[in-house]
Amino acid sequence: MSSVDPLRTGAAQPLVGRASDLARILSFLDNHDAGSALLLSGEAGVGKTELLYAVAQAASDAGTHVLSAAGVQFEADVSYSALNQALLPLMAIFDELSSSHRDAIRVALGFGAGTPPERLLLSNAALALLRTAAADKPVLLVVDDLQWVDRASAAVFGFIARRLTGSRISFLGASRTEMDSFFERGGLPQFEIPPLDEDASTFLIDSRFPGLAPAVRRRLLQTAQGNPLALLELPKALRAGQRVARESLPYVLPLSQRLQSLFVSRVEDLPPTTQHLLLIATLDGSGDLSTLYAAARDTDDNIDLEDLAPAERDHLVLLDTGTRRLAFRHPLISSAVMEISTGSQRRAAHRALARVLSDPERRAWHLGEATLEPDEQVAAQLEQQARRTLDRGDAVAAIAALTRAADLSPLGADRARRLTEAAYIGADATGALRSASELLENARRADPYQHRSLHFAAAAVQLLLNGDGDVVTAHRLLAGAITEGRHGYDATNVALVDALHLLLLLCFYGGSAELWEPFHAAVNQLRPDPPPLLCVAAQTFGDPARGGAASVEQLDRILHTAIDETDSARIVRIGTASIYPDRLSALREPSWRVVRQGRDGGPVRRHLGGLMHLCLEGYHTGRWDETAQLADEGLQLCKDSGYTFFTWYFLYNKAIVAASRGDTDTAQELAEQIADWAAPRGVRSALHYAHHVQAVAHISSGDFAGAYRHASMVSPPGQLAPYSPHALWVIFDLVESAVRLNHRAEAADHVRALHEADVGALSPRLALLLGGCAALSAENDDAAFRQFEKALSAPGTDRWPFDKARVQLAHGERLRRARETMSARETLTSALHTFEQLGARAWSERATKELRAAGWSVTRADDQKRQELTPQEREIAQLAASGLTNKQIAEQLFISHRTVGAHLYQIYPKLGIASRAALRDALTALEAPRVNG
């Protein structure tokens, strides 16, 4: 491939000064079977499009199937418009895909009806389609102007570009260096197209404008700074006298401003019919000549595509008669077309396009732009477009359509309703809190009664929470809207169910019975029946100690279907219901899908929810490093998106990991930060989380009085406070610290309350902790040991390593005090191993001290590694452990009994023991990490 002559096929002039750049780009195509991706970047006019064209032509000549697409500035809000360009030529092989992939492609590209596909499904479908095409010959996908590719298409292109290894597919994209795009470049190889060097620049300008005076040429070279487009365009703006230095040049020729004005002047010189065609082409964005011709004839019967000839001769556009497509040579040309057009001309072009386009979304958009006066029919079409766009997951485009629909609404109530829904989508899905506030204010002006609507209240709640953080006011606003709404408590009303799920969260944040009363009243009025997930969440998340166990079976049925769930909002809601029954592990993969979607530009609130649940699941299952990393991601996302209310949640996850690892200073600092923020705002649940951190931190440092005080703030001993679900997570902290302080009556009372609430039925983890609490509070050792053994032998306890190790530590401590040293050693060693794996330093130290108190020597992970026994030492140790005397061993090994004694003298410290009696156990546990004995 690299041997191809670097000429731009079909053009009269070669790509001056680009031989090495073209060879570098072509080299990534050399291995057809490897699959690769490359992103080009560079300033406007540097020649990216020309290089793409040359690469595409060379690849096509070599037998590669080339697919192409280009971002369109005025079509960035039209979902999958660029993907449509790229995949339309493969329509003939759609039927070779699986049914799910085929349907996803057809629906997304507007060729079929059905449920809008989830982004991940569509991305896989697009990749499968390309792989199918590549079965016959290699495929090259070329995407120009990535900075203008619509958000939905950019996500799919990004997905494809990262999954080409081992395929026969290559991806080549280009974008402007100075512009942002929806396409995520991270992790992909990039090549920035440099300006032309001095020699190439001089050659280019001399070959095209041989009559320039030397001084003029120097000035143009200095101004162009190696930009090929400027080199070719700047001289055209000069008068004949200026070119030959008979007239002075302007003092300053700013590159960007001068290029813009040059394009405008060039477009203005075209005949009116040509300008009209270019305006239609600009607003259409597809480049399809059939659409362009039909729209042009709609406004002027005498117009013909031949009227494009002046623009083609002036090198403003490229016409490909084979594919019947038009492309602007530079995006600034289309910008210039827009600049010189009048408002009435643009509306006429939009109107013509609306009449000839069959796609309902594009037609609605053009109608919206064509309409000047309020028109309910057009507004309704835009609203429908917004619904379809939102169903595909493109919230940004949906907001734009709803806002335009509001502008065209004749009635204030309709205008307010559409603005309110746009605000709700902005606050709920995109994280556009500032614009949501403005939309709500405009809605209030349009209709003073709009504040009663569910969407208005829900959007206002998000603004309140992430502003002042006033939970009580937010709750009153939303509960009032639900009570006063005209929804008839219809359980199929999506807005109502969404509002109730949000109200459930507000009730949890506030943590008082008074807040829950209107929620339960509303749910009880839902007809015909409340949604199952809402009912389950109300029990397992609201007050699990009183009703959660009865809902666990129904939650498990819901979780059984969650693995294939595509609705990110529902995934997060299932996760919310799963927190206190410890079912988040069953939702781990769907939660990761939500997070990945968020990283690709998906809904911010869902992204935050997925992170929250992965953090909690990671902590309980021992993935502490992952929890800390995801918490950092959540904190940054809160800061960047404006969702500052949820900062406390991620601080908690960082703090609880720090407390568990023994970093008490960090843990307490973060806990105090949470408490200082939560207390004045009435966020009682955040206070409980902070007390949990403090309790664990105090136990970690050996301050059981402090731990008892903080655990009791979550739930007093002897009772499980209503609507305080986090009381379930401090049961072991409360009972252990109570026992340590000799508050045995309080500990026993709390265990009794836990049994009465049957908290063990909620989850295996809580059953483990309940068994540990019962053992801790038992009066006699036999009863305690039975409880410990029952709790620790239950199936599935290994899933909760830290909790199990804490129960094992308590068990080992009691065994050691009862002088059951051999049993204590086994239990404490297991706990120590887990603590050291987790990095729980303070707990490791407790276990180590207990082992030493039981007579076992322990080497810490950060001490010198335990010395290994030599083969002869191991053999002597095994014989001694079997009961043989030194003399018997000596006779068997043909050595002196003094040598045996000397070896044993070396063996004992290596094994961490002090006598022959401990040899057998020490050898049995020889592989046990960090315990010598």
Side-chain angles (χ1 to χ4, degrees), residues 317-353:
V317 297
L318 289 169
L319 294 179
D320 190 327
T321 55
T323 61
R324 290 189 56 78
R325 300 187 79 81
L326 172 147
F328 289 101
R329 284 183 176 266
H330 193 280
L332 288 179
I333 299 171
S334 57
S335 299
V337 170
M338 290 290 289
E339 186 173 325
I340 67 167
S341 65
T342 65
S344 60
Q345 289 173 332
R346 290 193 294 273
R347 287 191 294 274
H350 278 299
R351 195 175 299 112
L353 284 166

Side-chain angles (χ1 to χ4, degrees), residues 166 342 388 451 491 518 763 871 890:
T342 65
R388 291 190 291 266
H451 69 277
S763 79

Side-chain angles (χ1 to χ4, degrees), residues 487-498 500 526-531:
H487 42 66
Y489 290 97
D490 179 4
T492 64
N493 186 312
V494 175
L496 174 60
V497 174
D498 287 349
L500 286 170
L526 290 176
R527 297 293 180 270
D529 295 299

